[in-house]
Amino acid sequence: GENVEQHPSTLSVQEGDSAVIKCTYSDSASNYFPWYKQELGKRPQLIIDIRSNVGEKKDQRIAVTLNKTAKHFSLHITETQPEDSAVYFCAASMGGNEKLTFGTGTRLTIIP
Amino acid sequence: NAGVMQNPRHLVRRRGQEARLRCSPMKGHSHVYWYRQLPEEGLKFMVYLQKENIIDESGMPKERFSAEFPKEGPSILRIQQVVRGDSAAYFCASSPSRGFSTDTQYFGPGTRLTVL
């Protein structure tokens, strides 16, 4: 089955700087890659996703890149703010209502 | 448009009791997924259901756990004879059955199960 690895497990960034979180996946059939943000005690919230027919997607301060050949994808957050502090999870699936396989999470702390 | 609903939000059970967790998907969604999150860990897939059908239960423990999504009413995850190791947050997610975003899953607030 699919295996998703995520790095780093913790990340501290000065406010205003950029943060990058990286994930690799094992199953070349995966074609849908969402990123979720989870604050303490809250539900995972979808912040951005990418499908295998594109290499990059941006939404304001958040961007995701995908390299299908290398089987890795990354989350980029620019101009970080204190409210970006949370745990971020990457995931992969084969799309079309298939299950998500999650990475182990990255605890991002923004230092004011 | 209400999001995914789960209840109860918190559930305390003693060892050996039964736990029933309920999930109502978003309006217009007919696909339901259950995930378990142990403390300080990621989310692990348990089961995927459509109305009256279990599509994928590859993540379900072989014993004590069962799930259903009846024609009417919410999806239910049932844990019999709970043990302390069942203590976790159980999240339900739903996705639409038609359109471009059938792969997008939206999560409910979770049920935090504590087994004493």
Side-chain angles (χ1 to χ4, degrees), chain B residues 19-23 32-35 45-70 74-80 90-92:
Chain B
R20 280 186 180 233
L21 290 61
R22 287 175 290 278
C23 168
V32 166
Y33 312 80
W34 286 93
Y35 294 86
F45 168 78
M46 300 181 73
V47 62
Y48 159 37
L49 311 100
Q50 293 180 31
K51 287 284 186 183
E52 300 184 281
N53 284 300
I54 296 175
I55 307 302
D56 181 355
E57 55 181 349
S58 58
M60 285 280 268
K62 296 288 183 249
E63 297 178 347
R64 302 187 298 109
F65 285 72
S66 62
E68 62 176 6
F69 190 12
S75 175
I76 295 175
L77 179 67
R78 181 183 177 203
I79 311 172
Q80 295 179 289
Y90 292 83
F91 288 95
C92 166

Coordinates of all heavy atoms in Angstrom, one line a residue, chain B residues 19-23 32-35 45-70 74-80 90-92:
Chain B
A19 N -18.7 1.7 22.7 CA -18.7 3.1 22.2 C -19.4 3.2 20.9 O -19.1 2.3 20.0 CB -17.3 3.6 22.2
R20 N -20.3 4.1 20.7 CA -20.9 4.4 19.4 C -20.6 5.8 19.0 O -21.0 6.7 19.7 CB -22.4 4.2 19.5 CG -22.8 2.7 19.5 CD -24.3 2.5 19.4 NE -24.6 1.1 19.4 CZ -25.4 0.6 18.5 NH1 -26.0 1.3 17.5 NH2 -25.6 -0.7 18.5
L21 N -20.0 6.0 17.9 CA -19.7 7.3 17.4 C -20.5 7.5 16.1 O -20.6 6.7 15.2 CB -18.2 7.4 17.0 CG -17.2 7.4 18.2 CD1 -17.2 6.1 19.1 CD2 -15.8 7.5 17.6
R22 N -21.1 8.7 16.0 CA -21.9 9.0 14.9 C -21.4 10.1 14.0 O -20.7 11.1 14.5 CB -23.3 9.4 15.4 CG -24.1 8.3 15.9 CD -25.5 8.7 16.5 NE -25.3 9.5 17.8 CZ -25.1 9.0 18.9 NH1 -25.1 7.6 19.1 NH2 -24.9 9.7 20.0
C23 N -21.7 10.0 12.7 CA -21.2 11.0 11.7 C -22.2 11.3 10.7 O -22.8 10.4 10.1 CB -19.9 10.5 11.1 SG -19.4 11.4 9.6
V32 N -18.4 8.4 3.1 CA -18.0 8.7 4.4 C -16.7 7.9 4.7 O -16.6 6.7 4.4 CB -19.1 8.3 5.4 CG1 -18.5 8.3 6.9 CG2 -20.2 9.4 5.4
Y33 N -15.8 8.5 5.4 CA -14.5 7.9 5.8 C -14.3 8.1 7.3 O -14.6 9.1 7.8 CB -13.3 8.5 5.1 CG -13.5 8.7 3.6 CD1 -14.3 9.8 3.1 CD2 -13.0 7.8 2.7 CE1 -14.5 9.9 1.7 CE2 -13.2 8.0 1.3 CZ -13.9 9.0 0.8 OH -14.1 9.2 -0.5
W34 N -13.8 7.0 7.9 CA -13.4 7.2 9.4 C -11.9 7.0 9.5 O -11.3 6.1 8.9 CB -14.1 6.1 10.2 CG -15.5 6.3 10.4 CD1 -16.6 5.8 9.6 CD2 -16.2 7.0 11.5 NE1 -17.8 6.2 10.2 CE2 -17.6 6.9 11.3 CE3 -15.7 7.7 12.6 CZ2 -18.5 7.5 12.2 CZ3 -16.6 8.3 13.4 CH2 -17.9 8.2 13.2
Y35 N -11.3 7.9 10.3 CA -9.9 7.9 10.6 C -9.7 8.0 12.1 O -10.5 8.6 12.8 CB -9.2 9.2 9.9 CG -9.2 9.2 8.4 CD1 -10.3 9.7 7.7 CD2 -8.1 8.7 7.7 CE1 -10.3 9.7 6.4 CE2 -8.1 8.7 6.3 CZ -9.2 9.2 5.7 OH -9.2 9.3 4.3
F45 N -6.3 5.8 8.3 CA -7.5 5.3 7.7 C -8.1 4.1 8.4 O -7.3 3.2 8.7 CB -7.3 5.1 6.2 CG -8.5 4.4 5.5 CD1 -9.6 5.1 5.2 CD2 -8.4 3.0 5.2 CE1 -10.7 4.5 4.5 CE2 -9.4 2.4 4.6 CZ -10.6 3.1 4.3
M46 N -9.4 4.1 8.6 CA -10.0 2.9 9.1 C -11.0 2.2 8.1 O -10.8 1.1 7.7 CB -10.8 3.2 10.4 CG -10.0 3.8 11.5 SD -10.9 4.1 13.0 CE -11.2 2.5 13.6
V47 N -12.0 3.0 7.6 CA -13.0 2.4 6.8 C -13.6 3.5 5.9 O -13.7 4.7 6.3 CB -14.1 1.7 7.7 CG1 -14.8 2.7 8.6 CG2 -15.1 1.0 6.8
Y48 N -14.1 3.0 4.7 CA -14.8 3.9 3.8 C -16.1 3.3 3.4 O -16.2 2.1 3.1 CB -13.8 4.1 2.5 CG -14.5 4.6 1.3 CD1 -15.6 5.5 1.2 CD2 -14.0 4.1 0.0 CE1 -16.1 5.9 0.1 CE2 -14.6 4.5 -1.2 CZ -15.6 5.4 -1.2 OH -16.2 5.8 -2.3
L49 N -17.2 4.1 3.5 CA -18.5 3.6 3.3 C -19.3 4.5 2.4 O -19.1 5.7 2.4 CB -19.3 3.5 4.6 CG -18.7 2.8 5.8 CD1 -18.1 3.8 6.8 CD2 -19.7 2.0 6.5
Q50 N -20.2 3.9 1.6 CA -21.3 4.6 1.0 C -22.6 4.1 1.6 O -22.6 3.2 2.4 CB -21.2 4.3 -0.5 CG -20.0 4.9 -1.2 CD -20.0 4.6 -2.7 OE1 -21.1 4.5 -3.4 NE2 -18.9 4.4 -3.3
K51 N -23.6 4.7 1.2 CA -24.9 4.3 1.8 C -25.1 2.8 1.6 O -25.1 2.3 0.5 CB -26.1 5.0 1.1 CG -26.2 6.5 1.4 CD -26.8 6.7 2.8 CE -27.1 8.2 3.1 NZ -27.6 8.4 4.4
E52 N -25.3 2.2 2.8 CA -25.6 0.7 2.9 C -24.5 -0.2 2.4 O -24.7 -1.4 2.2 CB -26.9 0.4 2.1 CG -28.1 1.1 2.7 CD -29.4 0.7 2.0 OE1 -29.6 1.2 0.8 OE2 -30.1 -0.1 2.6
N53 N -23.3 0.4 2.1 CA -22.2 -0.4 1.6 C -20.9 -0.1 2.3 O -20.6 1.1 2.4 CB -22.0 -0.3 0.1 CG -23.1 -1.0 -0.7 OD1 -23.2 -2.2 -0.6 ND2 -23.8 -0.3 -1.5
I54 N -20.1 -1.1 2.6 CA -18.7 -0.9 3.1 C -17.8 -1.1 1.8 O -17.8 -2.1 1.2 CB -18.3 -1.8 4.2 CG1 -19.1 -1.6 5.4 CG2 -16.8 -1.7 4.5 CD1 -18.9 -2.6 6.5
I55 N -17.1 0.0 1.5 CA -16.3 -0.1 0.2 C -14.9 -0.5 0.5 O -14.3 -1.3 -0.2 CB -16.2 1.3 -0.5 CG1 -17.7 1.9 -0.7 CG2 -15.5 1.2 -1.8 CD1 -18.6 1.0 -1.5
D56 N -14.3 -0.1 1.6 CA -12.9 -0.4 1.9 C -12.8 -0.4 3.5 O -13.0 0.6 4.1 CB -12.0 0.6 1.3 CG -10.5 0.3 1.6 OD1 -10.2 -0.6 2.3 OD2 -9.6 1.1 1.0
E57 N -12.5 -1.6 4.0 CA -12.3 -1.6 5.5 C -10.9 -2.1 5.8 O -10.7 -2.8 6.9 CB -13.4 -2.5 6.1 CG -13.5 -3.9 5.6 CD -14.6 -4.7 6.2 OE1 -15.2 -4.3 7.3 OE2 -14.9 -5.8 5.7
S58 N -10.0 -1.9 4.9 CA -8.6 -2.4 5.1 C -7.9 -1.8 6.4 O -7.0 -2.4 6.8 CB -7.8 -2.1 3.9 OG -7.8 -0.7 3.7
G59 N -8.4 -0.7 6.9 CA -7.8 -0.2 8.1 C -8.5 -0.5 9.4 O -8.0 -0.1 10.5
M60 N -9.5 -1.3 9.3 CA -10.3 -1.6 10.5 C -9.6 -2.8 11.3 O -9.3 -3.8 10.7 CB -11.7 -2.0 10.2 CG -12.6 -0.9 9.8 SD -13.2 0.0 11.2 CE -14.8 -0.9 11.4
P61 N -9.5 -2.7 12.6 CA -9.1 -3.8 13.4 C -10.0 -5.0 13.1 O -11.2 -4.8 12.9 CB -9.1 -3.3 14.8 CG -9.0 -1.8 14.7 CD -9.7 -1.5 13.4
K62 N -9.5 -6.2 13.2 CA -10.3 -7.4 12.8 C -11.4 -7.6 13.8 O -12.4 -8.2 13.5 CB -9.4 -8.6 12.7 CG -8.4 -8.5 11.6 CD -9.0 -8.6 10.2 CE -8.0 -8.5 9.1 NZ -8.1 -7.4 8.3
E63 N -11.2 -7.3 15.1 CA -12.2 -7.6 16.1 C -12.6 -6.3 16.8 O -11.9 -5.3 16.8 CB -11.5 -8.6 17.1 CG -11.1 -9.9 16.6 CD -10.4 -10.8 17.6 OE1 -10.1 -10.3 18.7 OE2 -10.3 -12.0 17.3
R64 N -13.8 -6.4 17.3 CA -14.4 -5.4 18.2 C -14.9 -4.1 17.4 O -15.7 -3.3 18.0 CB -13.5 -5.0 19.3 CG -13.1 -6.1 20.2 CD -12.3 -5.6 21.4 NE -11.1 -4.9 21.1 CZ -10.9 -3.6 21.2 NH1 -11.9 -2.8 21.6 NH2 -9.8 -3.0 20.8
F65 N -14.4 -3.9 16.2 CA -14.7 -2.6 15.5 C -15.7 -3.0 14.3 O -15.5 -3.9 13.6 CB -13.5 -2.0 14.9 CG -12.7 -1.2 15.9 CD1 -11.9 -1.9 16.8 CD2 -12.6 0.2 16.0 CE1 -11.1 -1.3 17.8 CE2 -11.8 0.8 16.9 CZ -11.1 0.1 17.8
S66 N -16.7 -2.1 14.2 CA -17.6 -2.3 13.0 C -18.1 -0.9 12.6 O -18.1 0.0 13.4 CB -18.8 -3.2 13.3 OG -19.6 -2.7 14.4
A67 N -18.6 -0.8 11.4 CA -19.1 0.5 10.9 C -20.2 0.2 10.0 O -20.3 -0.8 9.3 CB -18.0 1.3 10.1
E68 N -21.1 1.2 9.9 CA -22.3 1.1 9.0 C -22.7 2.5 8.6 O -22.4 3.5 9.3 CB -23.5 0.4 9.7 CG -24.0 1.1 10.9 CD -25.2 0.5 11.5 OE1 -25.6 -0.6 11.0 OE2 -25.8 1.0 12.4
F69 N -23.4 2.6 7.5 CA -23.9 3.8 6.9 C -25.3 3.5 6.3 O -25.4 3.1 5.2 CB -23.0 4.4 5.9 CG -23.3 5.8 5.5 CD1 -24.2 6.6 6.1 CD2 -22.7 6.3 4.3 CE1 -24.5 7.9 5.7 CE2 -22.9 7.6 3.9 CZ -23.8 8.4 4.6
P70 N -26.3 3.5 7.2 CA -27.6 3.0 6.7 C -28.2 4.0 5.7 O -27.8 5.1 5.5 CB -28.4 3.0 8.0 CG -27.8 3.9 8.9 CD -26.3 3.9 8.6
P74 N -27.2 8.7 10.3 CA -25.8 8.9 10.2 C -25.0 7.6 10.1 O -25.5 6.5 10.3 CB -25.5 9.6 11.6 CG -26.5 9.0 12.5 CD -27.7 8.8 11.6
S75 N -23.8 7.8 9.7 CA -22.8 6.6 9.8 C -22.5 6.4 11.2 O -22.3 7.4 12.0 CB -21.6 6.9 9.0 OG -20.6 5.9 9.1
I76 N -22.3 5.2 11.6 CA -21.9 4.8 13.0 C -20.7 3.9 13.0 O -20.6 3.0 12.2 CB -23.1 4.1 13.7 CG1 -24.3 5.0 13.8 CG2 -22.7 3.6 15.1 CD1 -25.5 4.4 14.3
L77 N -19.7 4.4 13.8 CA -18.6 3.5 14.1 C -18.8 3.0 15.5 O -19.0 3.7 16.5 CB -17.3 4.4 14.1 CG -16.0 3.6 14.4 CD1 -15.7 2.6 13.3 CD2 -14.8 4.6 14.6
R78 N -18.7 1.6 15.6 CA -19.1 1.0 16.9 C -17.8 0.2 17.4 O -17.2 -0.5 16.6 CB -20.2 0.0 16.6 CG -20.7 -0.8 17.8 CD -21.8 -1.7 17.4 NE -22.2 -2.6 18.5 CZ -22.8 -3.7 18.4 NH1 -23.0 -4.2 17.1 NH2 -23.2 -4.4 19.4
I79 N -17.5 0.4 18.6 CA -16.4 -0.3 19.2 C -16.9 -1.1 20.4 O -17.4 -0.5 21.4 CB -15.2 0.7 19.7 CG1 -14.9 1.7 18.6 CG2 -14.0 -0.1 20.1 CD1 -13.9 2.8 19.0
Q80 N -16.8 -2.4 20.3 CA -17.3 -3.2 21.4 C -16.1 -3.5 22.4 O -14.9 -3.5 22.0 CB -17.8 -4.5 20.9 CG -19.1 -4.3 20.0 CD -19.6 -5.6 19.4 OE1 -18.9 -6.2 18.6 NE2 -20.7 -6.1 20.0
Y90 N -11.4 10.2 17.0 CA -11.9 9.5 15.8 C -12.6 10.6 14.9 O -13.5 11.3 15.3 CB -12.9 8.4 16.2 CG -12.3 7.3 16.9 CD1 -12.0 7.3 18.3 CD2 -11.9 6.1 16.2 CE1 -11.4 6.3 18.9 CE2 -11.3 5.1 16.9 CZ -11.0 5.2 18.2 OH -10.4 4.1 18.8
F91 N -12.0 10.7 13.7 CA -12.5 11.7 12.8 C -13.3 11.1 11.6 O -12.9 10.0 11.1 CB -11.4 12.6 12.2 CG -10.8 13.5 13.2 CD1 -9.6 13.1 13.9 CD2 -11.3 14.8 13.4 CE1 -9.1 14.0 14.8 CE2 -10.7 15.6 14.3 CZ -9.6 15.3 15.0
C92 N -14.4 11.7 11.3 CA -15.1 11.3 10.1 C -14.9 12.4 9.0 O -14.7 13.6 9.3 CB -16.6 11.3 10.5 SG -17.8 11.2 9.2

